[in-house]
């Protein structure tokens, strides 16, 4: 009984820290289908910029963003997006030798640039969850409880091919 109360309290506290999806972001709802895997291609990041990410993971570098489903591009090819490493203790990985997580900011270098109504996207590397379902189940629980929570989906991510 106490354990369930602590879990609900923790869910409530965490729910307050996560912003709900905006109405504009609904035009990208298809990307969050738990039965689909989209392909995200981050490219045009030079060796020097990769070195910069290694040295300063929270600094953004310019990159190109493309999302495909079954080899067909969905949405525009965005050639000027901000890309930085995601993660810290535990999930942080070197960009050249590890499975890095990324944060993509679509309007970092081009004012008001959006991708299907969203400004940014977090690409988790899932290195702390080999099952790749813990996050999805937690967000689903939050949604079922009526709590604000991020949306999530699955993606195969490539960096410079």
């Amino acid at each position: 009984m106490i354990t369930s109360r602590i879990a609900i309290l923790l869910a409530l506290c965490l729910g307050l820290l996560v912003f709900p999806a905006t109405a504009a972001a609904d035009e990208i709802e298809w990307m969050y289908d738990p039965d689909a895997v989209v392909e995200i291609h981050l490219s045009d990041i030079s060796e020097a910029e990769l070195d910069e990410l290694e040295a300063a993971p929270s600094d953004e570098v310019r990159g190109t963003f493309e999302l495909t489903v079954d080899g067909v591009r969905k949405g525009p090819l965005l050639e000027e997006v901000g890309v930085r490493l995601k993660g810290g203790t535990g999930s942080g990985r070197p960009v050249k030798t590890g499975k890095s997580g990324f944060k993509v900011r679509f309007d970092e270098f081009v004012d008001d640039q959006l991708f299907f109504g969203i400004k940014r996207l977090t690409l988790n590397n899932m290195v702390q969850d080999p099952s790749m379902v813990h996050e999805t189940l937690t967000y689903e629980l939050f949604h079922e409880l009526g709590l604000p929570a991020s949306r999530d989906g699955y993606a195969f991510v490539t960096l410079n091919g």
Side-chain angles (χ1 to χ4, degrees):
M1 178 123 172
I2 291 179
T3 305
S4 63
R5 287 183 183 164
I6 291 172
I8 291 171
L9 180 61
L10 179 61
L12 288 171
C13 291
L14 290 173
L16 295 175
L17 300 174
V18 181
F19 296 99
T22 64
D26 288 341
E27 62 187 276
I28 196 170
E29 186 67 33
W30 55 267
M31 192 174 81
Y32 301 106
D33 178 355
D35 296 325
V37 178
V38 300
E39 299 167 32
I40 295 176
H41 308 283
L42 302 175
S43 59
D44 299 325
I45 301 174
S46 70
E47 284 296 317
E49 290 168 319
L50 291 176
D51 290 338
E52 184 180 329
L53 283 176
E54 292 272 347
S58 62
D59 288 354
E60 306 225 6
V61 299
R62 288 180 195 271
T64 297
F65 177 90
E66 179 182 29
L67 188 144
T68 61
V69 177
D70 296 326
V72 177
R73 184 184 310 149
K74 294 275 279 188
L77 176 72
L78 301 176
E79 296 178 340
E80 294 284 324
V81 300
V83 178
R84 74 174 181 89
L85 293 182
K86 181 214 170 274
T89 305
S91 67
R93 296 289 187 270
V95 71
K96 289 185 175 182
T97 59
K99 182 182 176 187
S100 298
F102 298 95
K103 287 196 176 253
V104 179
R105 187 170 189 93
F106 300 115
D107 64 350
E108 179 67 19
F109 299 110
V110 177
D111 290 338
D112 301 320
Q113 177 172 256
L114 301 175
F115 185 76
F116 285 102
I118 60 173
K119 290 183 181 184
R120 61 187 169 273
L121 193 61
T122 299
L123 305 171
N124 291 328
N125 56 7
M126 305 298 284
V127 296
Q128 293 177 310
D129 179 12
S131 72
M132 298 187 196
V133 297
H134 290 104
E135 213 169 270
T136 297
L137 292 175
T138 302
Y139 291 152
E140 187 175 311
L141 172 66
F142 284 8
H143 290 295
E144 289 294 320
L145 293 171
L147 298 169
S150 297
R151 296 184 293 177
D152 70 317
Y154 294 99
F156 179 78
V157 179
T158 62
L159 176 64
N160 288 342

